[in-house]
């Protein structure tokens, strides 16, 4: 195949309204701006037909398209085309599905995977696709520098799905420290409502702006990779580093962490910011220290320089040159 000319960023923003896609759209905005290309807007109705009849892609998809995919497709796939470079965000496939995965992506010139652990897994298991590592990132709109400062109102804000072990330790800590000021969430009428430990309702945090503004008010945040303490059932044992880790750092929060040693946690140097908590005593000591000491914004800023989305867009451009 001749060298690909990257021309378009595929986006599903016109019809995809689930909240977890919002950060993907922010990544797409940065890729579009950094690479100087345009958007190619997807059509969910066309895709329903196209996944059954992939040959339609020959008539509907222009050349040089980059697209994020939340997870791998198996079976017939509309984007299985030499004009398309996919990047898979969550790769949680077991070994038994590798052949199906190969078939679904066999026509893509390269297949980017966000997890270094997953890339290594595929190579060890002799995956026949042209697999490349394109790590996750934090959008450039959240850039900080060593003088960035946020007004902190809470000792801890509990955001999103929680690790069961850290959650258990936190409950015990709260019982023993009644003056600890924190924010937690409760599901009500299919929405998550956030409350302070004083009983104040903060609302549902239903936008990226509300979500990040609340995080910026916290001195600390809990963070764990998703494939431990029961999560391995959902992730097939993979433990990628998720964007929340970057969001915590960009919000000027100290990290209370739990994670394994693997290729992803090593690549993202998590141990620069937190040790992996294994006992309640370590949790208590870490939380006591970090609620009473400001985050090192110089360290956060210098670290994040390597992980802004514009850096990933440049990395993609280099990968395309290799085709």
């Amino acid at each position: 195949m001749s060298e690909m000319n990257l021309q378009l960023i595929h986006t599903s923003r016109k019809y995809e309204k689930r909240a977890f896609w919002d950060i993907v759209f922010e990544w797409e905005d940065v890729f579009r701006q950094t690479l100087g290309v345009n958007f190619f807007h997807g059509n969910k109705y066309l895709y329903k037909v196209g996944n059954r009849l992939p040959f339609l892609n020959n008539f509907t998809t222009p050349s040089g398209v980059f697209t994020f995919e939340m997870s791998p497709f198996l079976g017939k796939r509309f984007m299985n085309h030499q004009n398309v470079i996919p990047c898979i965000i969550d790769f949680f496939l077991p070994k038994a599905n590798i052949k199906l995965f190969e078939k679904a992506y066999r026509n893509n010139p390269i297949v980017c995977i966000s997890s270094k652990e997953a890339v290594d897994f595929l190579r060890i298991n002799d995956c026949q696709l042209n697999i490349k590592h394109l790590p996750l990132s934090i959008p450039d709109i959240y850039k900080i520098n060593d003088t960035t400062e946020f007004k902190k109102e809470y000792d801890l804000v509990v955001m999103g799905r929680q690790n069961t072990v850290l959650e258990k330790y936190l409950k015990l800590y709260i019982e023993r420290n009644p003056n600890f000021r924190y924010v937690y969430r409760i599901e009500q009428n299919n929405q998550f409502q956030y409350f302070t430990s004083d009983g104040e309702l903060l609302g549902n945090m239903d936008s990226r702006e509300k979500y990040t503004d609340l995080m910026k008010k916290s001195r600390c945040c809990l963070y764990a990779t998703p494939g431990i303490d029961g999560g391995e059932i959902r992730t097939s044992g993979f433990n990628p580093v998720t964007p929340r880790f970057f969001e915590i750092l960009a919000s000027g929060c100290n990290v209370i962490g739990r994670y394994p040693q693997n290729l992803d946690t090593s690549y993202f140097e998590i141990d620069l910011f937190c040790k992996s908590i294994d006992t309640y005593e370590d949790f208590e000591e870490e939380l006591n220290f970090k609620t009473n000491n400001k985050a090192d914004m110089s360290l956060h800023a210098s670290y994040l320089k390597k992980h802004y989305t514009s850096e990933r867009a440049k990395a993609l451009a280099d990968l395309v040159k290799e085709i």
Side-chain angles (χ1 to χ4, degrees), residues 117-133:
E117 184 184 26
V119 169
D120 189 61
F121 163 81
L122 288 168
R123 288 175 177 166
I124 287 173
N125 286 287
D126 199 29
C127 178
Q128 297 301 300
L129 301 173
N130 187 12
I131 299 293
K132 299 294 183 180
H133 184 218

Side-chain angles (χ1 to χ4, degrees), residues 139-158:
D140 293 49
I141 56 175
Y142 302 109
K143 272 188 178 179
I144 59 171
N145 57 49
D146 55 7
T147 62
T148 301
E149 192 170 347
F150 302 110
K151 183 180 178 182
K152 302 299 184 179
E153 299 181 26
Y154 311 108
D155 293 320
L156 182 78
V157 171
V158 180

Side-chain angles (χ1 to χ4, degrees), residues 5-10 37-40 62-67:
N5 181 20
L6 196 64
Q7 301 178 47
L8 297 165
I9 305 297
H10 169 266
V37 297
N38 295 317
F39 279 145
F40 169 52
S63 62
V65 177
F66 174 77
T67 184

